[in-house]
Amino acid sequence: METFLIRALQLILSLSLLVIIHEGGHFFFARLFKIRVEKFYIFFDPWFSLFKFKPKNSDTEYGVGWLPLGGYCKISGMIDESMDTEQMKQPAQPWEFRSKPAWQRLLVMVGGVLMNFLLALFIYSMILYTWGDSYIALKDMTYGMKFNETAQQIGFRDGDILKSADDKELVRFDMDMLRDIVEAREVTVLRNGEEKKILMPELSLLDVAKEDPMFVATFRPNIVDSVLAGGGFAKAGIQKGDSLLAFNGTPLNSWNEFMDEMGKLRSKAELEKKTSTSFSLVYSRQGVRDTVTVQTNEQFMVDAVGGLVSYKETNLSYGFFESFPAGVTLGINTLKGYVNDMKYVFTKEGAKSVGGFGTIGSIFPKVWDWQRFWEMTAFLSIILAFMNILPIPALDGGHVLFLLYEIIARRKPSDKFLEYAQMVGMFLLFALLIWANFNDVLRFLF
């Protein structure tokens, strides 16, 4: 319950900040061009609001709605999510959105997206300035990588050190690395001191990313690093420094494989409704082999840690002014990766992977970590900016599309057309919202 509350609080704080900044972008340009803003709300307020106030001599009512699905900035003289069509039937007033030149209305509509993107770049810059950037370079992972069956069939081998994908250097172990490998035509690895070229077939990043065990993981030697007194390993006589050789007759070449076998054993025991289980383990100590039976605890653990490797860490620090170009580069690369992955949403598996608030909340850490919080907030700001600029009615991009048509054709779409387009767009958005959260429910139940 505590984990749920921590994640929920982070999600609400992050989304509230992003909504304020996004709607603030619309508000800023509207007021810049002397367009009246009737409402500025965090979250939606159908029927009633949790809080509202209207400053003296102000045309704007500020408030907090009860429906946490975003927020809105109600601008006079436009058809938006408020669906205030009665206002549009009245004669146009000089302070209304519809009375302003097309270029001013265009800036009002892109203001939210612009502010979200700038916010993400600023947050990334401040993260680099405050915490720097630390990682272990792939070239320094001297034990190489561990590859699953799919990767082995393509031609990778355990222990390969990743060098490049289509001549682009692979620097660190992250999602960008996996994306570069999957979408490459040729991957170069260092194997036993020699470079090897691996030709890549056509793969789906979505399929590869969900494989268990992972397509590629850091290689962990099959050496025991520590044993907890009273645990399964300790009772079986396993000690620090022992090498694990076989699990129930299956050869072990890494700690990764030991953990995979433990996962299979746990799944089988849970299906059989056992509270614990045992397995046969062959190990080696100073060249002497022995076989023992290991009993797990009720959590199907053996209370031991292994496969730890100490690699040289690369640490980058940034001065205040240095952090901005680095933050811009990080933000742009994040946007490129997200846009690239969007093509998978339109596949059958991609549709199943779409998630709602539960999925978004799960990306936040289980304990409060400010660095991770700001990283996730910047990432969500990138997503919000991109999704809102899509040319879908009811989104900012839909309004931009119609404004561009007006600029090119030199005539406005009719109010009735804009009204119907807004209704269709809102229907599509609510359908997507329901589908995404339905997927979350299915994942939770099954």
Side-chain angles (χ1 to χ4, degrees):
M1 185 62 180
E2 181 181 356
T3 298
F4 171 80
L5 292 176
I6 291 174
R7 280 179 163 167
L9 183 58
Q10 291 179 89
L11 175 63
I12 293 172
L13 181 60
S14 178
L15 291 182
S16 298
L17 173 63
L18 297 183
V19 167
I20 291 173
I21 294 297
H22 181 89
E23 300 303 333
H26 295 310
F27 183 90
F28 170 78
F29 282 104
R31 299 305 299 133
L32 180 66
F33 301 128
K34 296 180 171 55
I35 300 172
R36 182 174 295 176
V37 178
E38 299 176 15
K39 280 188 171 185
F40 186 95
Y41 264 68
I42 303 173
F43 306 146
F44 294 117
D45 63 328
W47 305 296
F48 69 93
S49 60
L50 299 179
F51 169 77
K52 64 181 179 180
F53 78 100
K54 189 174 184 179
K56 188 177 180 181
N57 299 324
S58 173
D59 297 315
T60 308
E61 176 183 293
Y62 302 88
V64 178
W66 62 269
L67 190 60
L69 300 180
Y72 71 101
C73 180
K74 187 178 186 308
I75 298 173
S76 292
M78 71 172 291
I79 297 175
D80 57 11
E81 55 268 30
S82 68
M83 296 305 295
D84 187 0
T85 56
E86 290 301 317
Q87 184 183 72
M88 303 300 293
K89 296 176 182 178
Q90 305 301 319
Q93 301 298 322
W95 62 79
E96 289 186 334
F97 178 83
R98 55 180 166 167
S99 301
K100 301 299 179 179
W103 68 270
Q104 292 185 4
R105 285 180 279 137
L106 186 63
L107 285 176
V108 171
M109 295 319 304
V110 300
V113 168
L114 177 64
M115 291 301 291
N116 275 131
F117 188 61
L118 291 178
L119 174 67
L121 299 184
F122 178 75
I123 292 176
Y124 279 132
S125 300
M126 291 301 96
I127 288 173
L128 294 175
Y129 171 67
T130 305
W131 290 287
D133 188 14
S134 298
Y135 63 95
I136 298 173
L138 290 171
K139 63 182 178 62
D140 293 327
M141 294 183 177
T142 52
Y143 278 94
M145 311 305 288
K146 173 70 180 173
F147 298 91
N148 70 4
E149 185 177 350
T150 301
Q152 298 264 0
Q153 291 173 351
I154 292 172
F156 292 97
R157 295 292 177 265
D158 289 347
D160 284 352
I161 298 175
L162 296 168
K163 291 202 66 179
S164 63
D166 286 343
D167 297 324
K168 176 184 178 182
E169 183 184 6
L170 298 172
V171 178
R172 65 176 79 190
F173 184 86
D174 57 12
M175 196 64 188
D176 288 335
M177 175 210 72
L178 183 61
R179 183 184 297 109
D180 290 338
I181 291 174
V182 169
E183 298 184 349
R185 289 169 295 181
E186 183 180 80
V187 175
T188 303
V189 301
L190 192 64
R191 183 180 301 165
N192 299 323
E194 296 183 5
E195 285 192 0
K196 298 289 184 181
K197 304 287 187 180
I198 299 173
L199 297 178
M200 298 295 295
E202 287 191 13
L203 295 172
S204 165
L205 179 63
L206 191 65
D207 292 335
V208 169
K210 70 179 183 180
E211 287 185 352
D212 186 20
M214 295 172 61
F215 182 87
V216 55
T218 54
F219 187 90
R220 301 176 63 186
N222 55 343
I223 308 297
V224 179
D225 290 295
S226 63
V227 177
L228 185 64
F233 265 23
K235 291 178 180 178
I238 306 296
Q239 299 177 9
K240 177 181 178 180
D242 290 349
S243 300
L244 309 185
L245 304 180
F247 186 108
N248 280 345
T250 301
L252 297 175
N253 296 309
S254 66
W255 190 266
N256 309 66
E257 293 176 352
F258 170 71
M259 294 305 297
D260 291 342
E261 294 299 323
M262 284 293 294
K264 295 176 186 176
L265 187 72
R266 175 175 182 169
S267 297
K268 181 181 178 182
E270 288 177 339
L271 285 174
E272 296 173 352
K273 298 183 179 180
K274 293 182 178 179
T275 55
S276 66
T277 188
S278 62
F279 58 92
S280 172
L281 184 70
V282 180
Y283 72 96
S284 173
R285 181 181 302 158
Q286 297 178 347
V288 179
R289 297 162 59 101
D290 195 7
T291 302
V292 294
T293 298
V294 179
Q295 182 73 36
T296 72
N297 60 20
E298 293 181 355
Q299 286 76 43
F300 302 98
M301 306 290 287
V302 293
D303 297 324
V305 176
L308 301 182
V309 180
S310 179
Y311 291 126
K312 182 184 75 173
E313 189 173 61
T314 299
N315 296 294
L316 303 177
S317 58
Y318 297 86
F320 182 75
F321 294 106
E322 293 174 319
S323 68
F324 287 100
V328 170
T329 300
L330 178 56
I332 292 174
N333 288 338
T334 301
L335 176 61
K336 286 181 179 178
Y338 183 74
V339 172
N340 179 77
D341 295 345
M342 275 297 293
K343 61 177 176 284
Y344 297 109
V345 173
F346 303 100
T347 65
K348 182 179 179 180
E349 289 301 316
K352 292 180 181 178
S353 70
V354 173
F357 292 111
T359 298
I360 298 173
S362 67
I363 70 176
F364 287 94
K366 296 179 180 179
V367 295
W368 198 284
D369 182 329
W370 279 112
Q371 182 178 357
R372 186 65 176 163
F373 169 81
W374 287 117
E375 287 173 350
M376 291 302 97
T377 299
F379 180 59
L380 290 177
S381 197
I382 291 279
I383 293 176
L384 185 60
F386 175 74
M387 294 299 292
N388 261 285
I389 205 61
L390 293 177
I392 299 173
L395 291 178
D396 296 342
H399 292 284
V400 169
L401 178 65
F402 298 140
L403 280 167
L404 290 176
Y405 166 80
E406 178 185 338
I407 292 172
I408 295 170
R410 297 184 180 277
R411 64 187 182 92
K412 294 181 180 181
S414 69
D415 288 345
K416 186 59 66 174
F417 172 81
L418 294 177
E419 181 183 336
Y420 286 145
Q422 184 75 17
M423 291 171 63
V424 171
M426 290 179 67
F427 173 79
L428 292 175
L429 292 179
F430 277 114
L432 177 61
L433 187 66
I434 292 170
W435 173 253
N437 286 282
F438 176 69
N439 281 343
D440 283 349
V441 173
L442 290 181
R443 294 188 192 101
F444 176 77
L445 294 177
F446 302 107

